[in-house]
Amino acid sequence: DRRLLQPAQVCDILKGVILVICYFMMHYVDYSMMYHLIRGQSVIKLYIIYNMLEVADRLFSSFGQDILDALYWTATEPKERKRAHIGVIPHFFMAVLYVFLHAILIMVQATTLNVAFNSHNKSLLTIMMSNNFVEIKGSVFKKFEKNNLFQMSNSDIKERFTNYVLLLIVCLRNMEQFSWNPDHLWVLFPDVCMVVASEIAVDIVKHAFITKFNDITADVYSEYRASLAFDLVSSRQKNAYTDYSDSVSRRMGFIPLPLAVLLIRVVTSSIKVQGVLAYVCVVLFYCGLISLKVLNSIVLLGKSCQYVKEAKMEEKLFNPVLTATPGKPSGKQQSMFKSSQGSSTDENGSTSVTNQPVHQKENTPSLLVTSNSDQFLTTPDGEEKDISQDSSELKHRSSKKDLLEIDRFTICGNRID
């Protein structure tokens, strides 16, 4: 199938067009009016609004990932394939509408955080920070397995990065209002440090108690790191269809398009570019960002290869999966399971949606092997009654998923199968 453009190039062009269209659409949203509208609300109402926005952000991310997947699928599928969907143009408009609405949602979230920073008694900011400790209550006393902890770790990474971008937007808007006075930056600095420190402290305490109560060793985080590194390395192969960051962002449930649209909109409205020298500085800054991205990708790829070799998972990058009898994997597959300690044998487990999958029969049994570490980790020693109850519950559950098979569903909270 000879194409004018490769599938990865088609996806990049679609992303760029969506980014440009949504950027111009965001000019019709007045940030100042939204700020004063939110500031006129009471403290308790803003606290409820902020919690609702966090839930809506996760739901938007889950729904938006499906929209973008459908767009990439229809734009890159083979031409001789019979179309059983509405087409590329409707999916494209759905994707534009989703990115625009999600960018507005993140803008409201950033505006609410900005109001909390500018409140006189800082009561709203204190209440919002106390919301992080409620997260400990909802997570610590639940039963977690390795896969569930991996999902929650990915969700925490995505949440922390999003909060950093929101704090950057708040600082840009406040510095613009004070004519870029550096003295005001030191006024914002303690509050920014308090928000970041509370996020880090809550995550440390949460993961420490979850691993303690469920008898999970700290070595499991090296397996999580190797799984993410495997996603990055496998997507840089010769037959990869998307950029290397897509596989990792999909696993974490992170969609960068709405956040990028909002950040570009805020930066361009906060910083005025006037004169030839200013445009030269912008071009040099853009070239610096490109150089930083290339350097960052080289470092990440090198570290990922190192982690994959340490986990002995490099065989999966090159060797195809052998066909085995149902319920009885081959000897090579068994050795691969032992060496990877719970990693998936499917080398395409994290590939993009643009890879056209082969339709399999519904009754094909699973070839996954459950390791001893994936059993119920919260079972106390010496209680045979609890063991029998847990084994009876296991029959009614679906087969446990491997780390490499966990995808974007992590964004829907601490999902426990």
Side-chain angles (χ1 to χ4, degrees), residues 138-415:
S139 303
V140 166
F141 300 106
K142 290 182 179 179
K143 181 168 62 176
F144 276 85
E145 300 173 6
K146 288 172 55 179
N147 296 348
N148 306 125
L149 184 59
F150 184 44
Q151 295 177 4
M152 191 182 70
S153 301
N154 291 333
S155 180
D156 291 340
I157 295 172
K158 178 246 181 184
E159 180 182 0
R160 190 178 298 181
F161 179 78
T162 305
N163 289 334
Y164 290 160
V165 177
L166 293 179
L167 290 174
L168 177 61
I169 293 174
V170 170
C171 292
L172 287 175
R173 297 299 301 178
N174 279 276
M175 292 297 292
E176 182 200 4
Q177 297 298 323
F178 286 88
S179 302
W180 298 96
N181 187 6
D183 295 334
H184 185 67
L185 182 61
W186 297 108
V187 176
L188 294 174
F189 188 72
D191 295 333
V192 173
C193 291
M194 184 178 69
V195 174
V196 175
S198 65
E199 287 283 344
I200 296 176
V202 165
D203 289 341
I204 291 176
V205 172
K206 180 175 64 176
H207 283 267
F209 279 100
I210 287 176
T211 52
K212 176 184 179 339
F213 292 154
N214 295 275
D215 292 333
I216 302 176
T217 61
D219 297 335
V220 72
Y221 291 99
S222 62
E223 298 181 21
Y224 300 160
R225 183 183 62 186
S227 177
L228 295 176
F230 181 85
D231 287 340
L232 193 147
V233 174
S234 61
S235 60
R236 293 303 295 264
Q237 291 185 8
K238 195 172 182 179
N239 58 350
Y241 278 80
T242 58
D243 189 65
Y244 72 95
S245 60
D246 286 348
S247 299
V248 181
S249 61
R250 282 171 54 84
R251 183 180 293 276
M252 293 182 179
F254 174 66
I255 304 177
L257 281 178
L259 208 58
V261 169
L262 178 60
L263 189 59
I264 295 173
R265 171 70 175 87
V266 172
V267 170
T268 53
S269 62
S270 301
I271 301 175
K272 305 299 181 182
V273 180
Q274 296 177 352
V276 179
L277 183 60
Y279 282 102
V280 171
C281 293
V282 170
V283 173
L284 292 177
F285 180 72
Y286 182 73
C287 294
L289 288 179
I290 294 177
S291 303
L292 182 62
K293 182 182 185 302
V294 174
L295 178 62
N296 189 29
S297 63
I298 293 174
V299 173
L300 286 178
L301 184 60
K303 297 295 291 185
S304 299
C305 292
Q306 177 184 349
Y307 296 145
V308 169
K309 289 181 180 179
E310 290 177 357
K312 299 179 180 179
M313 300 168 62
E314 63 269 16
E315 295 180 358
K316 303 176 187 178
L317 296 173
F318 310 104
N319 297 334
V321 180
L322 300 178
T323 305
T325 55
K328 200 172 189 179
S330 61
K332 186 173 183 180
Q333 285 179 329
Q334 291 178 354
S335 63
M336 289 169 63
F337 272 107
K338 292 179 181 178
S339 63
S340 62
Q341 296 181 356
S343 298
S344 173
T345 58
D346 189 2
E347 66 174 349
N348 295 326
S350 61
T351 52
S352 171
V353 72
T354 55
N355 284 323
Q356 307 299 326
V358 179
H359 296 283
Q360 299 178 352
K361 296 182 180 181
E362 297 180 355
N363 297 328
T364 303
S366 176
L367 299 179
L368 292 178
V369 178
T370 56
S371 60
N372 295 329
S373 61
D374 286 338
Q375 301 301 325
F376 290 94
L377 302 175
T378 56
T379 304
D381 296 334
E383 297 186 6
E384 299 179 357
K385 182 177 179 181
D386 294 338
I387 296 177
S388 61
Q389 292 177 355
D390 291 340
S391 60
S392 62
E393 292 176 2
L394 183 61
K395 296 180 181 179
H396 300 286
R397 294 187 179 186
S398 59
S399 60
K400 296 182 182 300
K401 292 186 176 181
D402 203 271
L403 292 180
L404 292 177
E405 287 190 346
I406 301 174
D407 203 353
R408 63 183 181 273
F409 299 105
T410 174
I411 57 179
C412 296
N414 302 333
R415 171 171 166 175

